[in-house]
Amino acid sequence: MIAAMPPSLLNRSILILALVLGLGGGLAAQLSEVEKEQLADFRKYIRSKNADERLNQVDLLAHIDGVEATQLCIDHGLTDKDARVRARASWALARKRDPEAVKLIVEEGLVHKSDEVREGSARAIGRMREEIHAEALAARLAEERDALVVIALFRALAEIRSEKGLDRAFESILDRNTGIVSAALELIEANEKAEHWKQVAPLLRHSQWQIQSAALRCLGKLRAKDSIPLVIECMEDSDGRLRGDSRDCLIAITGRQFSHDPAIWKGWWERVGERWEVPRDVKPNTEDEEKYGPADDIPTFHEIRTKSKHIAFVIDVSASMSHNIRYKVLDRSKNAGQTYRQARRIDLAKMELKRIIETLDKNTYFNIITFETEVDAFKKSPVRATAGSISEACRWIDRLDCYRPASTSSEYTKEGWQRGETNTFGVLRYIYGFSNGEPSGFTGKLKPIADTVFLLSDGDPSAGFLVVPDEIKEQVERYHPAGQVVIHTIAYEINGIGRQLMSDIAAITGGKFVEIGAAR
């Protein structure tokens, strides 16, 4: 059987087996030969026109430590024209542990003439989370001018939780690039020093909601007593998403659970402000909800509340949504005391979607996005929730169904993907305002379709330019500083890697993750 295996597959199998088992002795020399063959294969196949072949070769370099593999990863992986290959190369570099290999990433990768190499090297160093590299990151940051590299450097220093680079961060919160400002705030936030609130607070008056939102999140981490009146003032002057973010910020600082009514917060602060001190640990105060009521009567979609006035509902309509789901009934009084009910997944999604749309107030703008292999929408742009648009949306939802092959249309897209699959990355690109589903064209600036998104799916990514969850997650991490979109995710009986991806998307974007199905 082994003799019949292709040489490249045999080499990979031996290499990975040896690495996993940590075998030494006589096999160490053989492993060294295998590594040499792998590096020779890399030089041969990295020039392939097939991006998947190049991706596979870079993947193998993650299992080979040392200077030579690192140099190849920098020179070829991080400079590849395919964004997937570059992202995988950055991941591979983060696994290097040989001191000379790491030195090469720091001393050559961070100062490389290619923007892509500097960005990928910064992301790799951040993943290592070693304070020893903070000086080099900060030194590069002081000279860097490319927006995406600056963002990567700030986020790398934030992962390390280093004080290095803070001076540049304070300068950069005045930058015109939303992604740079948000990433700079991440570094300030990571240090969690209350005295930095003075530099952050002026951003609560910024003209861009994304920066206001990022500033509120930062102030919630810094937890400075003197910032509370300014956050309450921001709540008074805001509506929708920012009012909800203001409340989250105040809860993070104080631990109080008052509603979205700024008058209640203001009254509390006027009573206790002078003698009140920031608690060391924040614990939910259930008495607040009993006395002042819960977080207002606001719309919920599968138990997730939103204060947003700019919402997109993203619904999976892949073929698997035609399967049944057994779910728990929340209000048993209206269902003859039943604990569980059963329905087609698409029908449950439609029922819940109509329910929330009919509760939206007239000052809310919404859209409905459906996706399988391809992405479609109720409207080209969000519409106001008037009686007419809500009625039209409900009729559109009534006609909605999961994908079924039609004799008049092709079962394959122009890219050659089968229809009816789950193109998670494609719909995420749509959410962030891209006109296509390719993992390219990102300059650090975005125009997302909404500030709050509900993403419902029942399957692992199976179509599109990216289907590997870690690669999709990598792109969401890149987009989030500039987009600041909160993505709540609802999983209809997803297990394994698909479930983890949905959970990760919510965590990265500040959303909530909910699982639907009797098994949960």
Side-chain angles (χ1 to χ4, degrees):
M1 289 294 291
I2 293 180
M5 295 175 67
S8 60
L9 183 57
L10 176 61
N11 290 341
R12 180 178 182 180
S13 300
I14 295 174
L15 173 61
I16 294 177
L17 178 62
L19 286 168
V20 171
L21 296 179
L23 297 179
L27 185 56
Q30 180 183 3
L31 181 59
S32 178
E33 291 301 316
V34 170
E35 289 179 337
K36 290 178 182 178
E37 290 183 25
Q38 291 290 344
L39 294 176
D41 280 348
F42 181 89
R43 292 186 176 89
K44 178 180 178 181
Y45 292 109
I46 195 61
R47 302 185 186 280
S48 170
K49 293 183 179 180
N50 187 327
D52 290 331
E53 182 72 49
R54 302 196 304 275
L55 188 68
N56 183 56
Q57 291 301 315
V58 169
D59 192 46
L60 288 175
L61 285 188
H63 304 286
I64 305 175
D65 210 347
V67 171
E68 189 174 1
T70 302
Q71 188 73 62
L72 289 172
C73 205
I74 292 173
D75 292 344
H76 297 282
L78 291 182
T79 61
D80 197 276
K81 61 183 180 181
D82 192 295
R84 296 177 303 160
V85 179
R86 296 196 300 272
R88 188 66 64 88
S90 179
W91 170 80
L93 288 173
R95 296 171 63 90
K96 304 306 176 192
R97 294 296 178 265
D98 179 83
E100 292 301 313
V102 175
K103 182 179 178 181
L104 185 64
I105 301 169
V106 174
E107 295 186 355
E108 181 175 321
L110 282 182
V111 298
H112 200 278
K113 63 180 181 180
S114 166
D115 297 342
E116 286 85 359
V117 172
R118 297 199 304 279
E119 181 190 1
S121 297
R123 290 176 66 83
I125 294 168
R127 289 190 180 101
M128 295 176 188
R129 298 184 179 179
E130 298 286 345
E131 175 64 31
I132 192 174
H133 304 314
E135 190 73 48
L137 290 167
R140 179 65 249 166
L141 182 61
E143 301 179 8
E144 188 58 57
R145 292 296 175 266
D146 181 82
L148 290 179
V149 183
V150 169
I151 292 170
L153 289 164
F154 274 134
R155 302 195 88 191
L157 286 164
E159 287 198 71
I160 296 172
R161 295 185 177 275
S162 172
E163 294 184 15
K164 307 289 185 182
L166 274 175
D167 289 342
R168 177 70 189 273
F170 293 135
E171 295 174 4
S172 296
I173 59 177
L174 301 177
D175 199 280
R176 293 183 178 181
N177 186 298
T178 306
I180 289 178
V181 177
S182 299
L185 287 169
E186 286 187 33
L187 178 56
I188 297 170
E189 174 186 325
N191 279 269
E192 295 187 2
K193 292 192 173 182
E195 61 265 29
H196 293 156
W197 77 269
K198 291 182 180 180
Q199 288 93 335
V200 177
L203 296 180
L204 296 181
R205 293 291 184 183
H206 202 278
S207 60
Q208 294 186 49
W209 69 263
Q210 290 97 330
I211 292 178
Q212 288 180 282
S213 178
L216 286 165
R217 185 193 64 241
C218 184
L219 290 172
K221 284 288 187 179
L222 301 183
R223 304 189 69 223
K225 174 181 177 178
D226 291 338
S227 69
I228 292 174
L230 296 177
V231 178
I232 294 174
E233 187 178 331
C234 179
M235 177 184 270
E236 286 183 303
D237 296 339
S238 305
D239 197 6
R241 162 77 182 275
L242 288 176
R243 179 163 289 194
D245 289 348
S246 297
R247 178 178 184 263
D248 290 343
C249 178
L250 289 169
I251 290 174
I253 299 172
T254 69
R256 305 310 300 256
Q257 300 283 318
F258 303 135
S259 71
H260 291 90
D261 185 352
I264 295 176
W265 287 96
K266 192 172 183 178
W268 167 79
W269 183 247
E270 289 173 350
R271 292 193 304 274
V272 305
E274 289 187 7
R275 66 180 184 273
W276 184 85
E277 295 297 333
V278 178
R280 178 176 297 180
D281 298 315
V282 173
K283 298 179 180 179
N285 190 329
T286 55
E287 292 181 1
D288 287 339
E289 292 202 0
E290 293 174 4
K291 185 175 181 180
Y292 297 100
D296 308 325
D297 184 17
I298 54 180
T300 61
F301 185 61
H302 278 307
E303 302 178 63
I304 304 174
R305 292 181 173 183
T306 181
K307 191 68 177 172
S308 173
K309 301 296 184 183
H310 296 272
I311 310 171
F313 301 97
V314 181
I315 308 298
D316 184 348
V317 292
S318 60
S320 58
M321 285 290 286
S322 64
H323 299 162
N324 283 356
I325 184 171
R326 188 167 178 259
Y327 62 96
K328 193 171 185 178
V329 176
L330 297 179
D331 189 352
R332 295 175 63 184
S333 64
K334 294 181 181 180
N335 293 277
Q338 288 179 298
T339 303
Y340 293 98
R341 295 188 70 184
Q342 185 167 286
R344 285 200 314 157
R345 295 174 183 178
I346 188 66
D347 292 336
L348 177 59
K350 289 166 62 176
M351 179 178 66
E352 187 70 5
L353 185 56
K354 286 180 65 176
R355 187 195 60 76
I356 187 173
I357 286 175
E358 290 173 343
T359 66
L360 298 178
D361 69 56
K362 63 181 181 180
N363 294 317
T364 300
Y365 288 81
F366 75 98
N367 203 354
I368 307 166
I369 315 301
T370 61
F371 75 102
E372 30 99 23
T373 306
E374 294 190 336
V375 180
D376 196 9
F378 166 56
K379 295 290 185 181
K380 291 183 178 179
S381 57
V383 295
R384 192 175 176 184
T386 62
S389 62
I390 290 174
S391 178
E392 183 182 0
C394 288
R395 291 194 299 271
W396 189 83
I397 293 169
D398 286 337
R399 297 191 299 270
L400 195 62
D401 205 347
C402 45
Y403 176 79
R404 295 176 182 175
S407 58
T408 57
S409 64
S410 172
E411 291 188 32
Y412 294 89
T413 67
K414 61 182 180 180
E415 294 87 2
W417 303 321
Q418 186 171 350
R419 293 290 304 276
E421 297 294 316
T422 305
N423 188 355
T424 306
F425 182 64
V427 81
L428 285 168
R429 290 274 295 186
Y430 188 95
I431 289 168
Y432 283 107
F434 291 99
S435 59
N436 60 60
E438 299 180 22
S440 60
F442 179 49
T443 62
K445 297 180 180 180
L446 293 173
K447 290 185 178 180
I449 62 173
D451 62 36
T452 303
V453 171
F454 292 90
L455 171 60
L456 185 154
S457 183
D458 77 330
D460 300 345
S462 57
F465 287 97
L466 295 182
V467 294
V468 177
D470 281 346
E471 294 175 356
I472 296 174
K473 176 184 171 183
E474 173 109 3
Q475 295 303 315
V476 174
E477 288 176 339
R478 293 182 76 215
Y479 300 155
H480 182 64
Q484 291 295 315
V485 181
V486 167
I487 304 179
H488 302 295
T489 55
I490 302 100
Y492 273 17
E493 295 185 326
I494 308 179
N495 296 308
I497 59 174
R499 177 190 180 278
Q500 187 61 52
L501 175 61
M502 294 284 278
S503 176
D504 287 342
I505 290 171
I508 293 167
T509 64
K512 294 182 180 179
F513 170 63
V514 170
E515 295 179 274
I516 304 298
R520 304 296 176 191

